[in-house]
Amino acid sequence: NDGNDPVTGDMLYILRIPSIDSENPVREGTESDVLSDSLGHEADTALAGTEGNCVIAGHRNYNFGKYFNRLDEVEINDLIYLDTDRATYTYAVTDIKVVEPTDVEILEPVAGKEILTLYTCTPIYIATHRLVIIAERVQ
């Protein structure tokens, strides 16, 4: 740790998805106490603004519009924003898929580009699968 690596619970970003009126804090880690009141950044994945795969997990809160409740309404080419205190990173959705919970391929690093991967449990209430949104940085 060089002093710059976030520790569990650190506030990292505000994640905004205007197409579904979603705006939520993102904290480091995917432990249950983090995900109970924010989205969570998978600790071993890239940070915004660096090459690789930045993976953010969230619950489908039963309150409409909370966390990733409406993630299933996101469409290809929708824009997603990660705000930090220094910059805003903009991503465009390139792929949407539903995978088995055991499919950890979504967590794998990518080379040569900046990818943002969002995932949540689906269907809501049942949660047998994962809904995955993949977006690529555009600016």
Side-chain angles (χ1 to χ4, degrees):
N1 190 334
D2 57 8
N4 292 325
D5 293 335
V7 297
T8 299
D10 280 1
M11 175 67 78
L12 299 181
Y13 315 115
I14 299 295
L15 184 139
R16 291 182 290 125
I17 312 174
S19 63
I20 57 169
D21 295 322
S22 174
E23 184 170 321
N24 288 286
V26 180
R27 296 195 295 151
E28 179 71 3
T30 51
E31 289 76 6
S32 58
D33 60 328
V34 171
L35 292 180
S36 67
D37 64 2
S38 68
L39 304 174
H41 172 257
E42 290 272 3
D44 293 331
T45 68
L47 293 167
T50 62
E51 185 180 301
N53 184 10
C54 175
V55 181
I56 294 173
H59 283 312
R60 304 284 291 275
N61 191 283
Y62 298 143
N63 299 327
F64 187 72
K66 189 75 168 165
Y67 307 132
F68 281 162
N69 181 287
R70 296 179 62 194
L71 200 64
D72 60 331
E73 297 172 45
V74 169
E75 297 179 353
I76 298 288
N77 294 325
D78 281 1
L79 294 180
I80 301 174
Y81 302 93
L82 279 183
D83 298 324
T84 71
D85 48 10
R86 290 183 301 281
T88 293
Y89 301 96
T90 304
Y91 302 82
V93 176
T94 56
D95 196 12
I96 299 168
K97 53 191 177 182
V98 173
V99 301
E100 299 282 343
T102 51
D103 183 356
V104 294
E105 181 186 305
I106 61 165
L107 302 178
E108 288 177 0
V110 292
K113 49 190 174 182
E114 294 178 35
I115 298 295
L116 175 65
T117 299
L118 311 180
Y119 76 89
T120 192
C121 292
T122 200
I124 199 164
Y125 305 118
I126 305 171
T128 50
H129 290 76
R130 285 180 176 170
L131 171 66
V132 182
I133 306 291
I134 296 168
E136 190 162 343
R137 185 155 175 218
V138 290
Q139 65 186 55

